[in-house]
Structure formats: structure tokens, C-alpha cells
Amino acid sequence: MRTFLGIASFGLVSFTSAALAQSTPSEFAELSFQALLDVDINEKDTEQSSPNRWSFAVQLKAAEFDGYKIDDSDVSLDDVLFSLGEEPRTSSNFPVVPTIIDQYAKIVQLGYQVNERLKLGIQVPFIHQETDHISVVPGYDHFVISSSGLGDIALSASYALEDNSEFSWWVTAGLSLPTGSIDEQGDTPRDAGDQQLPYTMQLGSGTYDIPVEVSYQNKGEHTFTVTLSAMLRTGTNDRHYRLGNNYKLSGKYSFPLSQSTALFTGATLGYSESIHGQDDEITIGGNFPYPASITNPDLYGGEKVSVFGGVSFVPIDWLKVVADISKPVYQNLNGPQPQELWRAGLQFSVLY
């Protein structure tokens, strides 16, 4: 398993370590789109076996958000939480404040190698998110909300523009289907009983979206890969909003420790737009319609730079394991907005 592993594993890493601003569960899960390329099929002996190959992968992902930023400056929870009777209400303080956001995803991926240049794939994500909150609303001084379920299913096609002994160019395009729920509900201080949850708790985008990526990799014992990618939204969902487009530039350097093990490191630069439109069901009346920052569509998006590192291991010829972790080193967010602390991924890929 050899030539294709470099560019393929970078597809996994660049999306797992994507440098986005505050991500909804939908965005968090869809970032593994390129992990479908994480199985080498190009250097098998095609004289002895068919070039048409199926591949299967399971990826586990986790991320945590804690603390707030306005632009690139840290702000405290006391600054974001509105204190009744002690300060005036403004557009930058709120009666409800999420404190810690934990996101988890399990993504099942199936790929089919049509020929040496073309691979098709499908990705099915399962998502879970938990968010801790503090509040000045009586009875809700501290509470936790969670959501779980199927995310947006993505279809993909990856094509090798050039793949020779010195370098490779790959382009990938796909279609993300609105299969994830955007009607998740929970018990919030907004009213008695269950109500519509904010954008950060919804499992899908609610729109048909188009992921695209172009990757270049030099070849040799030590490889370097550059990837430019985007997630482009289309239309408006039935709750009258659409998530912002995401754009990312990544670079990765990989070096082998042995025939079966390699280390990698790199960095990603990402930009994401704010949410367009608004879900009016998560707002309240009065001069300040947003009970929490995560209910304001303008307080999403921004810029982020992350560094990452990890290891890939091929214990047996038909199995590859990739583990990685990333950490933001710069975040400039439309805030006050929760900032990312870290994210990590673990993937098992099988060829048969």
C-alpha cells in the first residue's frame, strides 16, 4: 500500500484538523469528506487482481470548545453573561451562555475505485453533541443540552488529473444531502418544555451543499502536500437560513519511521462565513432578540489557523490506521463566539 497513501492520508488530516470557526455538528461531521481517499489502490498488481476495488473506513472524531473571543481577543464568561440589575443589556452580553461544547462524530465511509484515476464514495455520519450552559434565568442557572442522530450524507467523486512518479494532482467534488435534522428540540430557558435548539445543536445544514477540493503532492521518501478546499452552500433551508461557506488552505509534511509507520505534521488556514438568514423560532421579543450568542447568526464564522500532527500505521496489508490531533494557534472570530480548544480523529481503513 504505497503511492496513494500520502495524498490520501492528507485528505483525512486536512479535513479532520480543519481550521474553521465555531462549527455546527453538521460542519464538524462533513469535514471528513476527503477521508474516503484514505485507502491506497493504485499500486496493487493489476495483472493479478482487478483494478476495481471497494474500500471501507470508520472514523471517530471529537472536538471541544471553551472560552470566548471577540475578533482575536479573549473575553471572560462574566463579560458575555448579562448580570441582571448590575449592568445594561447589550448586543454583546446574554442571559444564557454556553460554557463548554463537546462534539463527537462516527463516520462510516464506503469507496469504489472505478479505475486508476476515478474513485466514487459515500459518507454517512452519526453525530452527538453536548453543551453546558450557565444562565441568569431562575431554575436554569446551570443546564446541559444534547442532540444526537444521523448527519448529512455526502456523495463524492475523486479524479486524478495527473499521477506520475514525481507528483500527483487530485480534484474531488461531491454533493452533501440534507439528511441531518434541523428540527432538534430541547428544554431551554426560553420557555417551558422543549423548544427549537440553536444552530450549534442541529445535526444537518438543511440545504444541498457542494464540497470541492484540489490537492497537489510531491512524491518521494518525504512528501509535502498542499490542499485547497471549500464547502459551498446552496439555497435556503425550510427554517429560512443557510450555513456559511467554508474555505481552507492546508499544508502537510510527512516522513516515514519504517515501511509501515509514518509521522506527519502541518498547518491549516481556514475562513468561514457567518450564517445567512435566521431561524426566528430561537429568538425572543424586545430590543434584544437573541437570548444567547449562539442564536445570533452574525456571531458565526471567522478565521482560524491550526497546527496538527499525527501518525499513520499499516499493521497488515489490508488495514490502515490514522490518528491525529490539532490545536488552533490563532482565532479571529465574529464574536462573542466560543473558541475551539482542540480536535482529534482516529480512522480505520480497510481495502477488499
Side-chain angles (χ1 to χ4, degrees):
M1 309 180 88
R2 317 303 170 231
T3 313
F4 190 60
L5 286 178
I7 190 170
S9 62
F10 178 69
L12 164 67
V13 175
S14 63
F15 274 73
T16 304
S17 310
L20 299 178
Q22 172 182 313
S23 64
T24 67
S26 167
E27 292 170 310
F28 175 62
E30 72 196 10
L31 299 179
S32 65
F33 181 77
Q34 277 295 312
L36 285 166
L37 290 180
D38 196 42
V39 180
D40 174 46
I41 45 75
N42 283 348
E43 287 201 354
K44 287 291 181 181
D45 187 352
T46 57
E47 293 182 359
Q48 299 180 13
S49 60
S50 170
N52 299 329
R53 294 291 178 86
W54 291 95
S55 60
F56 176 78
V58 175
Q59 186 183 24
L60 308 176
K61 299 178 62 178
E64 184 170 83
F65 297 76
D66 190 8
Y68 279 78
K69 281 187 179 293
I70 297 178
D71 298 325
D72 60 357
S73 299
D74 292 327
V75 292
S76 68
L77 290 179
D78 289 338
D79 292 330
V80 182
L81 181 66
F82 166 63
S83 297
L84 185 64
E86 299 179 12
E87 61 182 345
R89 177 73 201 278
T90 71
S91 60
S92 296
N93 61 19
F94 305 88
V96 180
V97 175
T99 55
I100 300 175
I101 300 175
D102 290 314
Q103 294 177 335
Y104 308 93
K106 178 172 67 176
I107 302 116
V108 178
Q109 297 140 335
L110 184 66
Y112 180 71
Q113 189 76 24
V114 178
N115 53 46
E116 292 184 353
R117 289 184 177 267
L118 178 64
K119 183 170 186 177
L120 306 179
I122 182 172
Q123 166 186 294
V124 182
F126 300 90
I127 300 166
H128 177 74
Q129 173 160 311
E130 295 181 357
T131 304
D132 289 3
H133 300 76
I134 57 176
S135 168
V136 298
V137 179
Y140 289 89
D141 55 329
H142 177 266
F143 64 99
V144 178
I145 293 178
S146 64
S147 59
S148 300
L150 175 69
D152 289 342
I153 296 174
L155 309 175
S156 69
S158 299
Y159 184 77
L161 300 175
E162 182 65 46
D163 187 11
N164 57 45
S165 60
E166 297 182 355
F167 64 88
S168 295
W169 279 100
W170 283 83
V171 60
T172 299
L175 179 65
S176 179
L177 309 176
T179 53
S181 169
I182 58 170
D183 300 310
E184 295 298 296
Q185 295 186 340
D187 184 11
T188 77
R190 198 168 67 246
D191 203 350
D194 289 346
Q195 310 95 44
Q196 175 74 9
L197 292 177
Y199 312 103
T200 50
M201 302 299 296
Q202 300 304 322
L203 305 176
S205 68
T207 57
Y208 290 91
D209 304 322
I210 302 172
V212 294
E213 179 174 290
V214 177
S215 297
Y216 169 83
Q217 183 197 52
N218 74 309
K219 294 186 178 181
E221 183 178 5
H222 297 245
T223 61
F224 182 75
T225 312
V226 177
T227 299
L228 179 64
S229 60
M231 175 63 78
L232 307 176
R233 314 292 178 182
T234 67
T236 301
N237 61 35
D238 59 12
R239 288 198 167 270
H240 311 294
Y241 71 88
R242 68 174 175 86
L243 301 179
N245 293 338
N246 300 321
Y247 308 93
K248 180 172 60 66
L249 176 65
S250 302
K252 184 200 104 175
Y253 175 71
S254 178
F255 46 97
L257 295 181
S258 67
Q259 286 188 338
S260 61
T261 306
L263 299 179
F264 54 79
T265 185
T268 62
L269 167 64
Y271 169 75
S272 57
E273 299 174 342
S274 58
I275 294 174
H276 301 262
Q278 178 173 284
D279 184 351
D280 291 332
E281 196 170 333
I282 62 176
T283 62
I284 57 177
N287 295 328
F288 301 99
Y290 305 115
S293 64
I294 57 175
T295 64
N296 185 344
D298 292 333
L299 301 185
Y300 285 78
E303 302 169 0
K304 188 181 298 184
V305 178
S306 294
V307 295
F308 62 82
V311 59
S312 63
F313 177 57
V314 183
I316 49 181
D317 191 53
W318 51 268
L319 175 66
K320 185 183 181 186
V321 181
V322 179
D324 71 275
I325 188 167
S326 73
K327 174 76 174 178
V329 294
Y330 174 77
Q331 300 181 74
N332 189 330
L333 308 178
N334 301 327
Q337 182 182 145
Q339 63 178 331
E340 181 184 317
L341 293 185
W342 57 267
R343 65 178 60 202
L346 177 63
Q347 174 158 312
F348 302 89
S349 302
V350 177
L351 178 69
Y352 59 94

